[in-house]
């Protein structure tokens, strides 16, 4: 029984950073911009949250720093993708590379270390979980409401499905896309902040460890639909939680195989849902009024 | 001719701008960028040994850069080269260190086996793409993580030197007969025949894309999948094969790292660094042509080798090289921005 409850709690906790990053990714994708850079935005968020918390002693400022850093990275991606109509996949890859280099570079410059920051003030806990977890779930439900029940959500989806039609009825396609992409970075930054000042009290090198990519898979698996994304994130959180628990209790299977679990599951999930999953039709395509 | 010049101008400009931005960071850290870059280029080119090191560092990047460009020609983005490098390296280590049969552990057979391992690992993503429509970017990313866990498993259990209870997670050294001959046996730089194989690979890939029907079909599929299919090309088969060959090239990078002596002929933790990801940068800067890959692999190897010399002589962490690389890729992703810049510059010139 005790194991069962700790598995449920672990699922909720581990799903949180994936969920919020995936909701962000969906915001970017439903407005028509592919965001491979979620992993890097998450990593920058984790780093900045730790730095913000370290220098101010206030973990709430850490949360905000994480979101701002993620948003700034996303802004770069947005300008390249929307204004200069660059290759969105390539730009995302560059952002991931930048984040992995920049965070280690700054660790050396600021702390003369290459692996981690000193310990930083952590966010308060509520019923055994960081308050960031609660913020994340509340924000996720607000996001679901916004996309499905409000005018701005309708516009976002319109811009991703048929930018020309949206433009014709007077929606500012570029502006909506900037909002979608920058929000995705801020959400990924929050997911990162959970890792460094929610779950732990320090930033460690490459601590996002593929969660940004798993979030990307959750978007596809959840079929670009917030409710689906919620379920997909919980599934990955479950795999992650199971993995952590199994490492404590199952000694017969080498831990490396247990650690593979979330990735194998993602792969199987993607292979299983294909055919039913259809991306927003304008996703990945730059929109040019003059060419349309 | 004018177009060719323009094509060269954008990568060149990207590198230049990235170096200037890097210089800004160096100034901010209180060092002189000219001195720092002096150490960088001096370290990479200043001596015979430096040049040999740069050639050695470029070798896996040539392979992985070719791997990325090969898939790119068919319109696919193989983020999984890193996993394929790992699988190639593990296969090389497993056969080279454990199989005591002179027909099988002959170096060229081992290289072939590593290539096949890379091929098969990439072919999983190729199969998922061709048969089930799974986007290769996501599937290869997952395969990277699976490969890296598998690597840790192999180094800690079945391939571990001294058995699972051995002292460090690494394989025993591969046997003499499985080692790639050294090009400069007297130096302490392990420049080996892998470098020659890499050059041959550049030529072979160039030949495939410029002189064969297969290369033409790959490009047709990359240009327009549906049109290629309608023209009678088995596009799904091409996707699978292309990704497989891409993995084969990446697998060779892994083989060279193990069999070439860089890690004292053992596969140990961290040996494969980020060579698969470096390939992405190399292919993009090289404009996805074999010659471009060769040139940009040298550039990145220069930065890498020189970056270490710079870190040794100044207070600048060598990670600045990764930041410079990322800026280069960002600039290339937004080549429209650069061509806008070039245009504005030309207009100003015309006015003046």
């Amino acid at each position: 029984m005790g194991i069962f409850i700790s598995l449920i709690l672990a699922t909720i906790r581990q799903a949180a950073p994936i969920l919020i990053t995936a909701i962000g990714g969906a915001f970017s994708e439903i407005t028509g911009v592919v965001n491979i850079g979620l992993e890097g935005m998450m990593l920058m968020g984790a780093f900045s949250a730790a730095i913000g918390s370290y220098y101010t002693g206030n973990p709430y400022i850490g949360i905000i720093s994480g979101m701002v850093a993620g948003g700034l990275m996303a802004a770069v991606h947005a300008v390249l993708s929307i204004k200069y109509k660059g290759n969105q996949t390539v730009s995302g890859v560059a952002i991931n590379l930048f984040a992995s280099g920049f965070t280690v570079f700054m660790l050396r410059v600021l702390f003369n270390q290459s692996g981690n920051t000193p310990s930083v003030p952590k966010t308060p806990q509520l019923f055994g979980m960081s308050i960031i977890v609660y913020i994340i779930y509340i924000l996720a439900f607000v996001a679901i409401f916004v996309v499905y029940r409000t005018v701005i959500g309708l516009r976002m989806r319109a811009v991703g499905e048929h930018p020309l039609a949206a433009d014709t009825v007077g929606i500012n396609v570029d502006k909506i896309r900037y909002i979608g992409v920058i929000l995705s970075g801020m959400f990924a930054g929050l997911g990162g902040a959970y890792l460094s000042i929610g779950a732990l009290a320090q930033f460690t090198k490459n601590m996002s460890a593929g969660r940004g990519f798993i979030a990307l898979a959750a978007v596809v698996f959840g079929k670009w639909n917030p409710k689906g994304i919620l379920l997909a994130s919980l599934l990955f959180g479950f795999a992650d939680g199971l993995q952590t628990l199994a490492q404590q209790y199952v000694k017969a299977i080498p831990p490396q195989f247990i650690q593979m679990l979330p990735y194998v599951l993602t792969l199987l999930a993607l292979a299983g849902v294909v055919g039913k999953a259809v991306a927003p039709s304008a996703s990945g395509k730059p929109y040019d009024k003059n060419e349309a | 001719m004018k177009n060719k010049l323009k094509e060269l101008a954008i990568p060149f400009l990207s590198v230049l701008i990235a170096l200037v931005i890097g210089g800004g960071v160096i100034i901010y850290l209180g060092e002189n960028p000219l001195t720092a870059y002096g150490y960088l280029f001096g370290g990479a080119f200043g001596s015979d040994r430096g040049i040999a090191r740069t050639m050695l560092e470029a070798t896996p990047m040539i392979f992985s850069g070719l791997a990325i460009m090969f898939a790119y020609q068919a319109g696919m983005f193989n983020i999984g080269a890193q996993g394929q490098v790992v699988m190639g390296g593990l296969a090389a280590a497993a056969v080279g260190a454990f199989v005591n049969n002179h027909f099988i552990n002959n170096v060229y057979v081992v290289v072939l086996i590593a290539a096949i391992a890379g091929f098969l690992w990439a072919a999983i993503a190729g199969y998922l793409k061709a048969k089930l429509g799974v986007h290769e970017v996501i599937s290869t990313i997952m395969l990277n993580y699976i490969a890296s866990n598998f690597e840790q498993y192999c180094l800690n259990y079945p391939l571990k030197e001294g058995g699972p209870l051995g002292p460090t997670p690494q394989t025993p050294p591969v046997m003499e007969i499985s080692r790639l001959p050294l090009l400069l046996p007297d130096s302490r730089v392990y420049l080996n025949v892998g470098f020659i194989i890499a050059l041959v690979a550049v030529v072979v890939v160039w030949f495939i894309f410029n002189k064969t029907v297969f290369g033409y079909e790959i490009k047709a599929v990359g240009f327009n999948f549906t049109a290629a299919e309608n023209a009678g090309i088995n596009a799904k088969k091409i996707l699978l094969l292309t990704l497989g060959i891409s993995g084969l090239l990446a697998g060779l990078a892994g083989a060279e790292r193990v069999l070439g002596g860089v890690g004292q002929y053992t596969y140990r933790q961290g040996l494969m660094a980020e060579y698969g990801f470096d390939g992405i940068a190399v292919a993009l800067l090289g404009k996805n042509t074999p010659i471009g890959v060769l040139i940009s692999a040298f550039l990145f190897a220069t930065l890498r080798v020189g970056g270490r010399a710079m870190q040794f002589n100044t207070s600048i962490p060598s990670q600045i090289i990764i930041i410079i690389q990322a800026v280069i890729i960002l600039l290339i992703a937004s080549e429209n921005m650069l061509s806008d810049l070039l245009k504005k510059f030309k207009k100003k010139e015309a006015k003046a």
Side-chain angles (χ1 to χ4, degrees):
Chain A
M1 198 59 199
I3 292 186
F4 187 66
I5 289 172
S6 49
L7 184 58
I8 291 177
L9 289 178
T11 301
I12 293 172
R13 271 196 312 263
Q14 313 273 48
I18 297 171
L19 172 67
I20 198 64
T21 307
I23 295 275
F27 275 2
S28 175
E29 294 227 345
I30 60 173
T31 58
V33 180
V34 168
N35 192 346
I36 304 271
L38 289 173
E39 175 79 7
M41 294 170 191
M42 207 177 185
L43 192 63
M44 286 294 279
F47 179 73
S48 305
I51 295 300
S53 185
Y54 179 79
Y55 283 108
T56 63
N58 182 339
Y60 296 100
I61 294 182
I63 297 179
I64 294 167
S65 326
M67 292 182 79
V68 169
L72 280 176
M73 295 299 283
V76 173
H77 184 57
V79 171
L80 292 191
S81 306
I82 300 164
K83 181 152 189 234
Y84 291 108
K85 300 172 183 33
N87 184 323
Q88 298 170 9
T89 309
V90 174
S91 159
V93 167
I95 281 170
N96 292 336
L97 187 67
F98 179 85
S100 77
F102 181 80
T103 49
V104 179
F105 179 79
M106 290 310 286
L107 279 180
R108 279 193 173 269
V109 170
L110 296 175
F111 306 107
N112 201 18
Q113 298 209 27
S114 57
N116 51 269
T117 61
S119 141
V120 305
K122 199 177 168 177
T123 52
Q125 304 259 318
L126 198 62
F127 305 116
M129 277 192 266
S130 162
I131 58 149
I132 303 186
V133 175
Y134 300 94
I135 298 176
I136 284 175
Y137 282 96
I138 291 167
L139 207 56
F141 284 107
V142 170
I144 292 175
F145 177 80
V146 167
V147 172
Y148 277 83
R149 294 278 182 276
T150 65
V151 179
I152 175 96
L154 186 67
R155 287 189 176 165
M156 287 172 87
R157 283 181 287 148
V159 160
E161 284 296 342
H162 205 314
L164 179 61
D167 197 3
T168 316
V169 297
I171 298 173
N172 185 337
V173 173
D174 284 2
K175 192 173 128 198
I176 298 276
R177 287 190 169 177
Y178 273 111
I179 294 174
V181 177
I182 292 173
L183 273 179
S184 81
M186 292 176 71
F187 281 19
L190 179 61
Y194 167 73
L195 300 175
S196 62
I197 59 173
L200 292 181
Q202 64 174 182
F203 172 85
T204 62
K205 182 179 164 185
N206 286 330
M207 77 185 312
S208 47
R211 287 185 186 81
F213 291 122
I214 291 202
L216 205 61
V219 177
V220 179
F221 191 33
K223 296 179 214 160
W224 290 268
N225 162 342
K227 286 175 204 156
I229 291 169
L230 176 65
L231 288 177
S233 304
L234 285 171
L235 181 68
F236 295 133
F238 177 74
D240 213 359
L242 194 66
Q243 182 254 111
T244 320
L245 272 186
Q247 282 195 61
Q248 286 169 30
Y249 294 101
V250 185
K251 297 290 178 205
I253 306 170
Q256 291 85 3
F257 279 105
I258 298 171
Q259 279 162 21
M260 271 181 208
L261 200 65
Y263 309 113
V264 174
L265 193 70
T266 304
L267 207 54
L268 292 177
L270 288 170
V273 290
V274 166
K276 288 171 276 171
V278 180
S281 54
S283 190
K285 294 178 195 129
Y287 175 65
D288 193 336
K289 240 193 263 229
N290 308 319
E291 280 171 20
Chain B
M1 190 58 209
K2 215 174 177 187
N3 268 337
K4 274 241 159 115
L5 263 180
K6 207 183 142 197
E7 283 218 337
L8 280 176
I10 285 174
F12 183 76
L13 207 60
S14 306
V15 173
L16 205 68
I17 294 175
L19 285 176
V20 170
I21 293 175
V25 176
I26 293 172
I27 292 175
Y28 179 77
L29 293 178
E31 297 264 0
N32 180 340
L34 291 180
T35 323
Y37 283 144
Y39 282 121
L40 191 153
F41 289 104
F45 289 125
S47 63
D48 290 354
R49 190 182 277 183
I51 294 170
R53 275 217 180 98
T54 305
M55 287 161 79
L56 179 66
E57 189 79 23
T59 306
M61 294 192 199
I62 297 172
F63 283 125
S64 64
L66 287 176
I68 307 291
M69 79 142 280
F70 207 94
Y72 206 87
Q73 293 290 338
M76 287 184 291
F77 208 36
N78 177 12
I79 309 261
Q82 182 66 23
Q84 296 140 22
V85 170
V86 165
M87 290 317 235
L90 283 175
V95 179
F98 290 94
V99 177
N100 213 340
N101 175 320
H102 285 358
F103 290 104
I104 299 173
N105 73 5
N106 171 291
V107 58
Y108 294 99
V109 179
V110 180
V111 167
L112 188 70
I113 291 171
I116 293 170
F119 183 98
L120 292 176
W121 194 247
I124 298 175
Y127 177 84
L128 290 174
K129 167 103 178 171
K131 297 285 172 191
L132 299 167
V134 179
H135 202 291
E136 77 281 359
V137 166
I138 298 189
S139 64
T140 54
I141 287 168
M142 296 304 140
L143 286 166
N144 278 344
Y145 288 107
I146 296 171
S148 113
N149 280 307
F150 185 66
E151 174 194 42
Q152 290 313 309
Y153 165 71
C154 288
L155 298 185
N156 281 291
Y157 295 92
L159 301 186
K160 193 175 188 182
E161 185 165 28
L165 297 174
T168 42
Q170 63 177 44
T171 68
V174 297
M175 289 167 226
E176 293 277 350
I177 188 174
S178 311
R179 296 178 184 181
L180 287 160
L182 295 176
L183 296 180
L184 304 166
D186 296 331
S187 73
R188 280 181 31 237
V189 182
Y190 287 92
L191 186 64
N192 62 72
V193 171
F195 179 72
I196 309 288
I197 302 177
L199 295 184
V200 173
V202 170
V203 176
V204 170
V205 170
W206 179 89
F207 185 81
I208 289 176
F209 284 114
N210 291 289
K211 301 284 171 200
T212 69
V213 176
F214 180 51
Y216 171 79
E217 287 181 339
I218 294 174
K219 285 191 277 189
V221 169
F223 189 66
N224 188 333
F225 184 89
T226 320
E229 226 172 14
N230 289 340
I233 296 174
N234 188 342
K236 288 185 171 176
K237 194 179 121 195
I238 295 279
L239 285 187
L240 207 163
L241 263 182
T242 308
L243 213 46
I245 295 173
S246 169
L248 180 155
L249 290 160
L252 289 174
E256 187 274 336
R257 288 288 100 171
V258 175
L259 308 175
V262 187
Q264 273 80 48
Y265 300 103
T266 64
Y267 193 131
R268 57 171 189 228
Q269 244 164 0
L271 181 65
M272 295 310 160
E274 303 254 289
Y275 291 117
F277 296 110
D278 292 339
I280 298 173
V282 166
L284 291 173
L285 180 65
K287 288 272 169 195
N288 283 298
T289 67
I291 308 302
V293 163
L294 183 66
I295 297 169
S296 60
F298 265 98
L299 178 79
F300 285 130
T302 303
L303 291 176
R304 190 71 48 90
V305 172
R308 278 180 227 135
M310 185 174 70
Q311 174 169 290
F312 188 75
N313 289 297
T314 66
S315 65
I316 314 295
S318 66
Q319 279 79 15
I320 196 171
I321 297 311
I322 304 178
I323 299 176
I324 291 177
Q325 268 189 29
V327 173
I328 293 175
I329 306 180
L330 269 178
L331 290 169
I332 286 178
S334 55
E335 54 178 299
N336 294 332
M337 183 171 73
L338 287 184
S339 39
D340 275 10
L341 261 174
L342 277 177
K343 266 182 220 153
K344 273 181 200 158
F345 186 69
K346 270 189 193 143
K347 262 186 205 158
K348 262 189 195 161
E349 231 175 28
K351 270 183 196 164

